[in-house]
């Protein structure tokens, strides 16, 4: 009767044929094995006889707070005897972000790590598992794009990390790596690349296609507004792996794309015909004397914004990398682009010396707030100037 049934499952789920497993069984097995009460996004049931024997289930977990790469747990068995978790010789490093169980009778139980590293069979297993994961992503994208896009925020870090770590994986999945644009649509990154530039074109000064991106939609709201009004688009690159990933995409496609953050080339993207004005530049230079910022004047398509801060992509990335590796802060070469289409900027020419200084500084701090926020000292100066302007305005 019931009482003499063995306690442990004689046939664990991963040993069954996929067609005999129900969705509920997969979810229950996941909960009981990994003690994760968030449902997995989806899973892959590995079931191979040839060229080697391999059974297993890999689950794609929901991402926790995506601050760091969350380590998953991939348990390795040999004929249902547990060997160890996360053996990176059998499972590529990036797949350890998943949760899973793999049973491979051909891996001897008491092997050393160095044996695994050099064993051809084991390397084939790792390659095979990677291929299966790539196939699953492609299949989901093709057959259920909506589900794929809904899962993307949980998958993105895993997929991007996988590409950086494993070139073959990148080649397989590159067409299903998506980024949201400013209107919330998902665009495959391969659709954002330009045509490859020939050697002759490059010599003649032709540049790869510029793709703009946003790293923080709140902080860069003013820039986004200007971009949208000018009918321009940008990608949202706001996960912590994105700076590394876009560098990787540039490295893979050097003649097809360069990424610029939305505030790196605003003038280039948003300016009208030349609107340089040396007099305006001089007013700002003398008003901002002693502040480490270059001044440039341009006529922007949007006349409402008096000035914007621009930092070259290269310098900003250098500075961010230095912060990341804690090498101290590289100076960022900030340029204040003064908008000669703005009525307040135009009115500065007729103002008194004192008014010019106060107003030009006010404009500078406003632009700085849109770029990166103010330091305590800058905030004090800004409040002082604002009070002064209000007083002047109300006394008239």
């Amino acid at each position: 009767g019931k009482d003499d049934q063995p306690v442990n499952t004689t046939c664990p789920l991963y040993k069954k044929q996929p067609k005999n497993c129900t969705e509920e069984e997969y979810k229950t097995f996941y909960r009981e094995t990994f003690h994760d009460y968030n449902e997995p996004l989806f899973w892959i049931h590995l079931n191979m006889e040839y060229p080697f024997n391999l059974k297993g289930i890999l689950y794609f977990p929901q991402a926790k707070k995506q601050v760091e790469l969350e380590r998953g747990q991939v348990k390795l068995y040999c004929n249902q005897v547990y060997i160890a978790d996360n053996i990176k010789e059998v499972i590529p490093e990036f797949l350890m972000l998943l949760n899973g169980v793999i049973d491979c009778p051909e891996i001897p139980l008491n092997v050393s790590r160095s044996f695994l590293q050099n064993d051809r069979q084991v390397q084939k297993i790792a390659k095979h598992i990677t291929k299966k994961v790539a196939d699953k992503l492609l299949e989901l994208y093709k057959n259920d794009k909506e589900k794929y896009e809904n899962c993307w925020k949980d998958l993105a870090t895993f997929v991007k990390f996988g590409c950086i770590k494993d070139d073959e994986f990148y080649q397989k999945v590159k067409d299903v790596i998506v980024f949201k644009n400013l209107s919330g649509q998902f665009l495959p990154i391969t659709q954002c690349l330009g045509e490859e530039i020939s050697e002759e074109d490059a010599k003649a000064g032709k540049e790869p296609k510029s793709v703009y991106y946003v790293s923080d939609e709140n902080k860069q709201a003013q820039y986004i507004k200007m971009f949208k009004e000018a009918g321009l688009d940008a990608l949202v690159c706001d996960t912590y792996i994105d700076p590394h990933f876009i560098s990787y995409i540039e490295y893979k496609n050097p003649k097809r794309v360069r990424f610029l953050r939305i505030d790196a080339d605003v003038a280039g993207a948003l300016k009208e015909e030349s609107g340089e004005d040396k007099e305006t530049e001089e007013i700002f230079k003398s008003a901002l004397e002693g502040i480490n910022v270059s001044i440039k004047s341009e006529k922007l398509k949007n006349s409402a914004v008096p000035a914007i801060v621009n930092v070259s992509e290269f310098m900003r990335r250098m500075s961010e990398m230095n912060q990341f590796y804690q090498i101290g802060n590289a100076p960022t070469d900030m340029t204040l682009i003064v908008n000669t289409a703005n009525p307040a900027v135009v009115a500065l020419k007729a103002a008194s010396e004192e008014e010019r200084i106060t107003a030009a500084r006010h404009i500078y701090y406003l632009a700085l707030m849109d770029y990166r926020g103010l330091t305590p000292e800058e905030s004090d100066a800004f409040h002082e100037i604002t009070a002064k302007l209000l007083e002047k305005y109300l006394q008239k």
Side-chain angles (χ1 to χ4, degrees), residues 77-329:
Y77 290 82
C78 169
N79 285 325
Q80 287 173 239
V81 177
Y82 171 72
I83 303 176
D85 280 356
N86 296 0
I87 295 190
K88 67 174 185 295
E89 289 75 14
V90 183
I91 298 139
E93 185 184 0
F94 72 98
L95 293 183
M96 291 185 206
L97 303 175
L98 303 179
N99 286 327
V101 170
I102 287 172
D103 193 320
C104 192
E106 283 149 48
I107 293 175
L109 272 175
N110 50 357
V111 291
S112 67
R113 283 280 165 101
S114 60
F115 168 82
L116 287 173
Q117 269 165 345
N118 300 311
D119 184 55
R120 297 295 290 275
Q121 192 72 337
V122 168
Q123 287 163 3
K124 278 187 193 156
I125 293 173
K127 261 191 163 43
H128 174 76
I129 295 173
T130 303
K131 181 186 176 304
K132 283 291 190 201
V133 169
D135 290 347
K136 178 73 186 185
L137 293 169
L138 293 172
E139 177 201 331
L140 189 62
Y141 184 81
K142 206 172 106 196
N143 299 335
D144 193 347
K145 209 160 174 192
E146 195 181 331
K147 177 170 182 176
Y148 185 86
E149 289 177 350
N150 289 338
C151 291
W152 181 249
K153 74 172 188 349
D154 294 302
L155 288 176
T157 302
F158 160 77
V159 174
K160 291 167 189 171
F161 182 58
C163 290
I164 293 169
K165 288 283 177 195
D166 182 335
D167 188 62
E168 275 183 47
F169 182 70
Y170 166 71
Q171 295 303 341
K172 286 198 175 81
V173 301
K174 60 179 192 234
D175 293 328
V176 301
I177 296 165
V178 293
F179 279 92
K180 248 189 195 164
N181 69 358
L182 293 182
S183 51
Q185 286 170 298
F186 284 99
L187 305 177
I189 192 74
T190 41
Q191 276 182 26
C192 304
L193 307 175
E195 290 298 313
E196 193 156 313
I197 292 176
S198 68
E199 291 298 322
E200 292 78 62
D201 283 348
K203 280 187 185 131
K206 192 169 183 215
E207 301 245 319
K209 180 181 173 186
S210 293
V211 172
Y212 293 98
Y213 69 97
V214 176
S215 61
D216 185 321
E217 288 179 277
N218 292 335
K219 276 190 185 162
Q220 288 146 18
Q222 181 66 41
Y223 296 88
I224 291 172
K225 184 167 171 269
M226 291 172 77
F227 254 60
K228 279 182 169 169
E229 282 169 4
L232 294 168
D233 204 358
L235 303 178
V236 180
C237 297
D238 59 357
T239 68
Y240 99 108
I241 200 166
D242 281 335
H244 310 282
F245 187 69
I246 58 180
S247 297
Y248 175 78
I249 293 287
E250 286 171 334
Y251 157 73
K252 299 300 288 181
N253 305 278
K255 295 179 179 156
R256 295 184 65 188
V257 70
R258 63 183 187 136
F259 286 93
L260 294 165
R261 199 166 80 177
I262 202 164
D263 50 14
D265 179 36
V266 179
L270 301 172
K271 70 181 174 194
E272 295 279 13
E273 75 289 349
S274 176
E276 236 185 325
D277 181 336
K278 290 297 170 205
E279 190 189 343
T280 300
E281 284 180 18
E282 279 313 310
I283 291 172
F284 275 83
K285 273 177 192 160
S286 62
L288 300 175
E289 211 181 333
I291 293 174
N292 184 14
V293 63
S294 315
I295 309 293
K296 204 172 156 210
S297 54
E298 295 280 12
K299 185 177 182 186
L300 300 183
K301 290 174 183 166
N302 184 328
S303 62
V305 178
I308 41 183
V309 167
N310 226 147
V311 171
S312 92
E313 182 71 17
F314 175 75
M315 285 302 286
R316 204 202 67 251
R317 280 198 210 180
M318 284 292 290
S319 153
E320 283 171 359
M321 278 191 52
N322 287 354
Q323 280 176 334
F324 186 76
Y325 294 110
Q326 295 170 339
I327 313 175
N329 221 341

Side-chain angles (χ1 to χ4, degrees), residues 376-391:
E377 296 76 29
E378 289 164 347
S379 185
D380 286 349
F382 176 68
H383 284 299
E384 207 174 303
I385 289 168
T386 308
K388 213 175 190 176
L389 281 170
L390 280 172
E391 197 179 317

